[in-house]
Amino acid sequence: MIGWLEAVVLGLIQGLTEFLPISSSAHIRVVSELVGWEDPGAAFTAVIQLGTETAVLIYFRKEIWEIISTWTRSLWTPALRGAFHARMGWFIIVGSLPIGALGLLFKTEIETVFRDLRIIATTLIVFAIILWFADRTARNKLTLEKHLSFTHAIVYGFAQSLALIPGVSRSGGTITAGLLLDYRREDAAKYSFLLAIPAVLSSGLLELTEIGEGQAPAWGPTILATIISFVVGYAAVAWFLRYISTHRFTGFVIYRIVLGAFIFLCIALGWISPMPS
């Protein structure tokens, strides 16, 4: 069961890491194992992501309102269908389909096999290398308004679905895809955050039904962790968007590789068990 101290720590970790390309779910899983806490589970992780996703809703509130209102009006007003915000509504819907389908298909594996720390360490390192390659080769010139298409939205969507495996990182996967498609770093990150909204909200709301039941975490600590993740997450998304406008992802790449190697070392020395307790 999740205690109050665990809720505070895990809420901070979620808020700090959700929007950075370093995988929040991996950090929650690894930290819990290192300090001897039981694995909080996929349900707890999904629910506290509602806090960080609320931060995105507030941070991008004006743009989200424009997308929702323009897309809705375009359904019966043909003249609006070519507008950027109307098209963005469709791009987010289409881009959300892969993770929705794969999340349902592999729900059991997500809650069990994929939480193996050996898999997490491997994905941290492998996708760090892919992010480094994308960051070094990207032309950093395309914008969402002029160049985003249904094909690109699908590519982004499948990249996001890789984050069903802890260690990949939702933002890391989608930003990497954007860089490989030659989008500007800021635009790749922005679409990554907007695209995550349907997936995170639906996953979190679905897992709400499991909170407080059986061996699942209790409501009190879960709510506390969610609130903390919201406050910290809002500051993190604002900082991250400013940072990547002038910096490459090299620091995050190095961090991911070091963390992955550290996890392998801890497993080899017997300090932690690779499978959830």
Side-chain angles (χ1 to χ4, degrees):
M1 300 297 289
I2 302 296
W4 294 103
L5 175 61
E6 293 169 68
V8 171
V9 173
L10 297 181
L12 285 169
I13 292 171
Q14 170 64 26
L16 285 170
T17 60
E18 172 66 15
F19 303 114
L20 308 182
I22 56 177
S23 181
S24 60
S25 56
H27 279 75
I28 288 175
R29 171 79 178 89
V30 170
V31 169
S32 296
E33 189 68 33
L34 282 172
V35 298
W37 296 335
E38 290 186 9
D39 178 22
F44 176 83
T45 303
V47 171
I48 67 172
Q49 285 178 341
L50 292 174
T52 44
E53 210 53 42
T54 301
V56 169
L57 291 173
I58 294 177
Y59 188 86
F60 291 107
R61 60 189 179 279
K62 293 182 180 178
E63 182 144 8
I64 291 171
W65 172 250
E66 282 292 329
I67 292 171
I68 294 174
S69 61
T70 306
W71 178 84
T72 303
R73 287 183 288 125
S74 74
L75 296 177
W76 62 79
T77 308
L80 290 175
R81 291 173 188 172
F84 169 66
H85 288 105
R87 290 185 290 112
M88 178 61 87
W90 286 114
F91 294 148
I92 291 174
I93 292 171
V94 170
S96 299
L97 296 179
I99 195 171
L102 293 173
L104 292 174
L105 183 63
F106 293 103
K107 187 176 188 299
T108 301
E109 288 79 5
I110 292 167
E111 296 176 346
T112 54
V113 178
F114 289 172
R115 299 184 72 77
D116 187 324
L117 285 174
R118 290 164 296 193
I119 293 178
I120 292 174
T122 300
T123 54
L124 280 168
I125 294 171
V126 170
F127 282 89
I129 296 170
I130 297 174
L131 174 58
W132 175 83
F133 174 80
D135 195 26
R136 292 293 170 179
T137 60
R139 289 182 289 177
N140 196 40
K141 67 174 186 177
L142 301 189
T143 64
L144 297 176
E145 186 165 356
K146 291 183 178 180
H147 301 98
L148 188 60
S149 64
F150 281 109
T151 300
H152 286 181
I154 287 292
V155 173
Y156 268 108
F158 276 104
Q160 178 181 234
S161 67
L162 293 173
L164 293 170
I165 306 172
V168 174
S169 169
R170 186 189 310 275
S171 63
T174 48
I175 290 173
T176 298
L179 293 174
L180 291 172
L181 291 170
D182 288 327
Y183 281 88
R184 297 167 61 228
R185 288 190 294 271
E186 309 94 291
D187 286 68
K190 182 178 179 180
Y191 183 60
S192 170
F193 296 157
L194 294 175
L195 181 61
I197 293 173
V200 174
L201 291 183
S202 59
S203 174
L205 293 173
L206 179 65
E207 296 291 359
L208 274 175
T209 60
E210 298 187 15
I211 299 299
E213 298 292 332
Q215 296 300 311
W219 275 104
T222 303
I223 292 173
L224 176 61
T226 304
I227 293 173
I228 293 172
S229 72
F230 160 70
V231 175
V232 178
Y234 188 89
V237 69
W239 173 83
F240 182 63
L241 288 172
R242 287 196 304 270
Y243 177 84
I244 62 174
S245 65
T246 56
H247 295 77
R248 290 185 179 272
F249 292 94
T250 307
F252 300 113
V253 169
I254 294 173
Y255 176 80
R256 288 178 63 106
I257 293 174
V258 170
L259 178 60
F262 176 71
I263 294 172
F264 276 127
L265 176 63
C266 290
I267 294 173
L269 294 176
W271 294 349
I272 56 177
S273 172
M275 292 302 295
S277 56

